[in-house]
Amino acid sequence: MSLKGMMEDSRFVQLSKQEKEAIDERISQYDFILQQVTDAIVLVKDDGTFVDVNEAACRLFRTSREQLLQKNFHEYVYLVPEHIFHFQKQMLHKFGTYDDEMVIRLADGEMKHVQLFMRRHKEQPFDLYMIRDITSKKALERERTINETLFKDLFNRAGDSIVIFDGQGRFIDANPSFCASVNITKEELFKLSIQTFIPMEYHDLFDQLLVTLKRNGTVSSELPFILGDGMQKLFELTLTTNVHSGFFMAIMRNVTEKRNMEMNLQRSEERFRAIFEQAHEAILICDDFGNILRANPAASRTFELPLHDLVHANLMQFIDLKQDKVRHVLRQFFRDGEIRDELTFHMPNGEKKQLEFTSKKGVINGYHLTIFRNVSERRKMEKQLREQEQKFRNVFNHAMDGIVLIDDKQRIFDANPVACRIFALSKEQLVTKCMHAFIGSNELNKFQKWVNNGEEEEEFTITDGEGKKKIVELSFKPNIIEHVGLMMVRDITEKKEMEEQLRKSDTLSVVGQLAAGIAHEIRNPMTALKGFIQLLQGSIGNGCEQYNMYFHVIMSELKRIESIITEFLVLAKPQAVHYERGDVAKIMQETVDLLSVQATMHNIQIEATYEQVPRIYCEPKQLKQVFINILKNAIEVMPNGGTITVSVEHVGDDIRIAIRDEGSGIPKDKIKKLGEPFYTTKERGTGLGLMVSYKIIEEHRGRIDVESEVGVGTTFYITLPINNDML
């Protein structure tokens, strides 16, 4: 070989070495780059077998290079559905490249979310896969999505008002709570700024808040907001910056009611403090052990200790813990949490005080509040009052007169036993009545006027609980205590009857004296008149009928005068009366027989019934006189005829005679006057007949009762006792 040829061969060998070195250097660089890239790079055959991998792939699949080259890529992507993976391969063969995301599962079971970049090698039988681990990115995206969802949900559901606004205060977004608070729709809100709702005088304060917000990133304050209806409410604001695209967010809460409550609470605390300090009652605040933590000035006066000494004292030192009642009170307080009672407290100066107290457990920051009231004087007064009440009750219950207590509407709410007897009602029945219920309708106006004028004494007729009429003397003292009047009730019915009897006795005495004078002064001239009239009648003879009629009238009237004089004489002086056992029924029968002819002449029938009655001591002639007087009166009051009913019957220990006529009757106000001298209901009567009759029956220990109804008739009841002690 020539030198030139040798030189050329030598240069070729030298050139090939250089190219090889360059290629090796480049391969080394590529290998360095391949190993240093952070993404996993693998070469994969069509069947999924790994041809080559870089270090990032070993880290991703968490295995060594040698172990990974023995694996198949399909082992890690079996979670991807086969049709999707087949589709990805088709896209790769068709376009030479395909990118997608998928989930791979490592040998230890961990799941990784990866981004797959697939590249087709046209000349070699393998594909290049670049695999990027985006698990953390996906987790962040998922967390961000969750946070955005949570924020949006919180934003829309929050009870507080939330708004997002820009640097000029224009609304970017607002949650429903804010729209409801200001009473404006979201569409209308976007046309406004937050300054629209802030009063003008607070705009400078809001601007200062924005400056602080931009400097510090957050700021809190309180501002008034004007609502859609014009009302102004106080809102508590918390402003933050850069929450989204450089915007600001404000979280607002309506604290108007809270501030009002705080103000009210503050005022309440001030009032409590004022009441605590100025209260007249002693107030102590103690712990569970009785240590006094706070006391008011009144407590210092009550417990006879300076205030600073009282605050360092223990409540238990003022009571006797050995007493059963004290231990019972303490047990009840800690069991029920409150108590109201009364105990004897021992003061440091030796004085004993009866204190009434009310305790509440844990009402002042967990401590116990007790309010004391000194009731020593009150208990003393109550004792005196009870004693006075007892004295009053003794006087009230044992008074000789009736006493009732009435209110402003004259309702009786208390009565003593005498009043109950007068009104013939039990106390329970009486206290449900009004005083005017017992007063007759004809005296109601008089009674009301008397009560209003407060006159001292007045007489009224009442109807008691049994329907009986009584005459009472009333005296009234209004307002002996507030809205309480005291009324004295004295039954003077018997007194009035005695006065009436005394008046009748006085009249009878006068009549007796008059009768004596008449007997002496009139009877003798009457005898002379009768004698001379008879002589004159005899001298004239019977020839002149006219004179005979005159003589008959004169003699009749003289006999009438003589009968009146005779009745007077009965009253004039005590008569020598001889009592004997007599049959009242027989005496009445004789009287009826005697007057039957006179009754028949007046077209009157006498119907008589006689029971067999015991014989009694009586003066038969006087009883017959009484029966004659009453029967004659009955005949005279029946000018048109009728029936007189007579009955004699045995009733209990008495004999009762009833004489009933069918005359015109006697008014009730005149019945009580019957028997009075010269009182009569007849046109030509003198009243002496009934007066004598009453006197005779009284002397027989009996009585006469009269019942009458105007237009119906009158009944006289004569009651005579069987045992009248007349001997």
Side-chain angles (χ1 to χ4, degrees):
M1 181 178 294
S2 65
L3 181 61
K4 182 179 180 180
M6 292 176 63
M7 290 178 65
E8 288 178 355
D9 291 338
S10 177
R11 194 169 46 251
F12 176 78
V13 171
Q14 186 178 5
L15 180 62
S16 298
K17 288 181 179 179
Q18 291 176 350
E19 289 177 351
K20 183 177 181 301
E21 289 176 357
I23 291 171
D24 290 340
E25 184 179 357
R26 180 166 294 182
I27 290 172
S28 177
Q29 290 175 351
Y30 286 158
D31 185 64
F32 177 77
I33 293 172
L34 180 67
Q35 299 301 329
Q36 296 302 316
V37 294
T38 57
D39 291 335
I41 299 176
V42 297
L43 299 179
V44 182
K45 292 182 179 181
D46 287 341
D47 60 358
T49 304
F50 288 107
V51 176
D52 199 1
V53 297
N54 67 349
E55 291 182 4
C58 295
R59 289 194 299 272
L60 175 65
F61 290 101
R62 293 182 183 175
T63 186
S64 65
R65 185 171 183 275
E66 292 74 12
Q67 292 175 338
L68 189 59
L69 291 176
Q70 296 175 7
K71 299 284 186 180
N72 191 296
F73 183 70
H74 294 164
E75 295 177 17
Y76 296 96
V77 295
Y78 69 90
L79 292 177
V80 179
E82 186 177 353
H83 68 280
I84 293 178
F85 193 73
H86 182 68
F87 172 76
Q88 292 172 344
K89 296 289 287 184
Q90 286 181 343
M91 293 295 103
L92 176 62
H93 292 162
K94 182 177 181 181
F95 298 105
T97 179
Y98 185 76
D99 300 338
D100 203 350
E101 293 180 1
M102 65 173 56
V103 177
I104 63 174
R105 183 171 181 174
L106 305 182
D108 58 4
E110 183 181 352
M111 312 291 291
K112 283 189 176 290
H113 205 103
V114 298
Q115 191 173 14
L116 180 63
F117 302 95
M118 305 171 69
R119 298 294 182 266
R120 180 72 176 170
H121 199 294
K122 297 180 180 179
E123 298 177 357
Q124 298 296 330
F126 55 80
D127 299 325
L128 174 68
Y129 291 174
M130 289 184 291
I131 307 171
R132 182 175 297 164
D133 187 356
I134 58 172
T135 304
S136 299
K137 177 183 176 183
K138 285 297 181 180
L140 289 174
E141 288 179 354
R142 185 165 58 253
E143 183 177 354
R144 181 179 178 182
T145 302
I146 293 173
N147 289 338
E148 287 179 353
T149 303
L150 289 175
F151 174 78
K152 186 175 291 292
D153 187 64
L154 178 63
F155 184 80
N156 290 324
R157 293 176 180 270
D160 293 337
S161 300
I162 304 175
V163 296
I164 298 174
F165 59 95
D166 61 15
Q168 285 73 41
R170 292 172 298 201
F171 288 107
I172 304 303
D173 201 357
N175 71 340
S177 293
F178 180 79
C179 296
S181 296
V182 297
N183 197 21
I184 291 179
T185 64
K186 185 180 286 190
E187 291 74 15
E188 295 174 340
L189 198 64
F190 290 151
K191 302 174 185 177
L192 305 173
S193 67
I194 194 169
Q195 290 91 334
T196 307
F197 300 94
I198 301 174
M200 288 294 298
E201 59 269 25
Y202 290 92
H203 280 194
D204 291 342
L205 176 59
F206 183 71
D207 293 339
Q208 294 175 11
L209 292 176
L210 290 181
V211 172
T212 306
L213 174 64
K214 293 174 183 177
R215 183 175 66 248
N216 300 334
T218 181
V219 67
S220 297
S221 184
E222 290 183 359
L223 281 176
F225 272 66
I226 302 172
L227 308 186
D229 56 5
M231 293 185 63
Q232 188 168 300
K233 298 286 185 180
L234 185 65
F235 281 80
E236 184 179 65
L237 288 85
T238 299
L239 305 176
T240 56
T241 185
N242 293 326
V243 294
H244 179 66
S245 302
F247 297 135
F248 306 127
M249 181 176 71
I251 300 176
M252 297 181 291
R253 178 175 297 169
N254 188 345
V255 294
T256 306
E257 293 185 4
K258 178 183 176 182
R259 293 294 176 262
N260 290 337
M261 289 175 63
E262 289 174 351
M263 291 177 61
N264 292 334
L265 180 60
Q266 182 179 358
R267 285 195 291 266
S268 297
E269 290 177 350
E270 292 173 355
R271 285 195 294 267
F272 170 76
R273 190 176 299 108
I275 292 172
F276 183 82
E277 297 295 334
Q278 300 175 17
H280 295 294
E281 289 80 11
I283 304 175
L284 297 180
I285 298 175
C286 306
D287 62 14
D288 288 339
F289 303 101
N291 297 314
I292 299 173
L293 307 176
R294 190 174 175 186
N296 68 343
S300 174
R301 295 190 296 271
T302 299
F303 287 91
E304 307 290 346
L305 275 177
L307 194 58
H308 64 277
D309 292 339
L310 183 61
V311 169
H312 293 91
N314 189 291
L315 186 59
M316 302 303 165
Q317 72 189 55
F318 297 96
I319 55 179
D320 185 0
L321 293 174
K322 296 179 181 178
Q323 292 185 358
D324 292 338
K325 183 176 181 182
V326 173
R327 293 198 296 270
H328 171 73
V329 166
L330 291 175
R331 285 196 300 269
Q332 184 178 351
F333 171 70
F334 284 104
R335 184 186 69 236
D336 300 338
E338 61 180 12
I339 192 171
R340 181 172 185 172
D341 212 317
E342 185 177 307
L343 287 175
T344 300
F345 286 76
H346 303 269
M347 302 298 120
N349 59 4
E351 183 183 357
K352 293 182 180 179
K353 291 185 179 180
Q354 198 72 14
L355 301 183
E356 181 183 72
F357 58 89
T358 300
S359 293
K360 291 280 188 179
K361 186 178 179 182
V363 294
I364 306 293
N365 298 326
Y367 297 116
H368 317 316
L369 176 71
T370 305
I371 301 174
F372 297 87
R373 183 180 292 112
N374 189 348
V375 294
S376 302
E377 289 297 322
R378 191 178 77 185
R379 291 293 176 261
K380 183 178 178 181
M381 292 175 62
E382 287 175 353
K383 181 180 178 182
Q384 294 175 350
L385 185 61
R386 284 194 298 270
E387 291 174 353
Q388 293 175 359
E389 167 68 16
Q390 188 60 41
K391 291 178 182 178
F392 168 77
R393 186 57 57 181
N394 289 336
V395 173
F396 185 78
N397 289 331
H398 297 90
M400 302 298 291
D401 295 330
I403 304 175
V404 294
L405 300 179
I406 62 175
D407 61 16
D408 293 337
K409 296 183 179 180
Q410 301 172 19
R411 291 176 297 203
I412 300 170
F413 62 86
D414 201 357
N416 69 345
V418 176
C420 295
R421 287 198 298 270
I422 292 174
F423 289 101
L425 290 171
S426 66
K427 185 174 181 178
E428 291 74 17
Q429 293 171 320
L430 190 57
V431 295
T432 62
K433 304 288 185 182
C434 290
M435 269 303 297
H436 56 72
F438 299 98
I439 306 297
S441 58
N442 57 328
E443 289 187 322
L444 269 179
N445 291 335
K446 172 186 172 184
F447 174 76
Q448 194 61 49
K449 186 181 295 184
W450 173 75
V451 170
N452 294 337
N453 294 338
E455 297 177 5
E456 288 297 324
E457 294 181 354
E458 188 61 68
E459 294 179 4
F460 293 94
T461 301
I462 66 169
T463 304
D464 65 15
E466 297 175 351
K468 294 181 181 179
K469 298 287 186 181
K470 292 182 180 179
I471 301 173
V472 294
E473 184 178 77
L474 303 180
S475 59
F476 180 57
K477 291 290 183 183
N479 292 323
I480 56 168
I481 56 177
E482 190 174 4
H483 305 301
V484 176
L486 182 143
M487 186 171 290
M488 303 287 292
V489 185
R490 182 177 299 159
D491 187 356
I492 59 171
T493 306
E494 292 184 1
K495 176 185 173 184
K496 287 296 182 182
E497 290 176 353
M498 290 176 63
E499 288 177 353
E500 186 67 18
Q501 291 176 2
L502 182 60
R503 187 178 64 81
K504 289 181 180 181
S505 297
D506 291 342
T507 305
L508 286 174
S509 176
V510 172
V511 172
Q513 295 174 9
L514 179 62
I518 290 174
H520 181 71
E521 299 293 339
I522 300 178
R523 201 165 193 184
N524 290 335
M526 284 294 299
T527 302
L529 283 173
K530 286 179 63 177
F532 283 108
I533 290 297
Q534 290 174 353
L535 291 174
L536 182 60
Q537 184 179 11
S539 63
I540 293 176
N542 296 327
C544 183
E545 292 294 333
Q546 184 178 0
Y547 292 136
N548 286 333
M549 183 185 67
Y550 294 156
F551 287 128
H552 178 74
V553 172
I554 291 171
M555 292 301 295
S556 174
E557 293 302 318
L558 288 174
K559 287 180 179 180
R560 173 172 170 74
I561 293 172
E562 189 175 12
S563 67
I564 292 173
I565 293 172
T566 302
E567 290 176 347
F568 268 128
L569 290 177
V570 173
L571 303 173
K573 58 183 179 179
Q575 303 293 314
V577 180
H578 176 66
Y579 289 96
E580 60 184 39
R581 283 194 176 274
D583 187 345
V584 176
K586 183 178 179 182
I587 296 171
M588 175 57 78
Q589 186 175 2
E590 291 174 354
T591 306
V592 170
D593 293 341
L594 179 64
L595 296 176
S596 60
V597 176
Q598 183 180 352
T600 303
M601 292 174 60
H602 290 79
N603 195 25
I604 293 173
Q605 299 293 325
I606 299 177
E607 296 180 355
T609 57
Y610 310 104
E611 288 185 5
Q612 186 174 358
V613 296
R615 297 170 66 85
I616 65 171
Y617 283 100
C618 63
E619 212 296 328
K621 291 182 180 179
Q622 287 188 347
L623 287 184
K624 185 178 291 187
Q625 180 65 40
V626 172
F627 298 158
I628 289 172
N629 288 341
I630 296 176
L631 283 170
K632 284 178 64 177
N633 287 343
I635 292 171
E636 291 174 1
V637 297
M638 297 169 59
N640 298 324
T643 301
I644 296 174
T645 304
V646 177
S647 65
V648 179
E649 55 186 351
H650 183 190
V651 180
D653 295 332
D654 300 320
I655 296 173
R656 189 172 73 172
I657 302 98
I659 302 173
R660 182 178 295 106
D661 63 47
E662 297 178 349
S664 58
I666 305 172
K668 291 184 178 181
D669 58 333
K670 293 183 179 181
I671 291 177
K672 61 183 180 180
K673 295 183 179 181
L674 296 177
E676 294 183 4
F678 309 115
Y679 181 79
T680 180
T681 58
K682 296 185 293 184
E683 185 178 349
R684 297 188 62 193
T686 63
L688 295 176
L690 274 182
M691 182 181 68
V692 171
S693 299
Y694 272 81
K695 188 171 185 297
I696 291 171
I697 296 302
E698 287 176 4
E699 290 175 350
H700 282 72
R701 307 288 194 272
R703 70 177 187 275
I704 297 177
D705 299 310
V706 182
E707 291 182 359
S708 183
E709 185 176 352
V710 177
V712 177
T714 304
T715 302
F716 279 80
Y717 293 100
I718 303 169
T719 303
L720 296 171
I722 296 174
N723 299 314
N724 52 17
D725 299 329
M726 299 305 296
L727 287 181

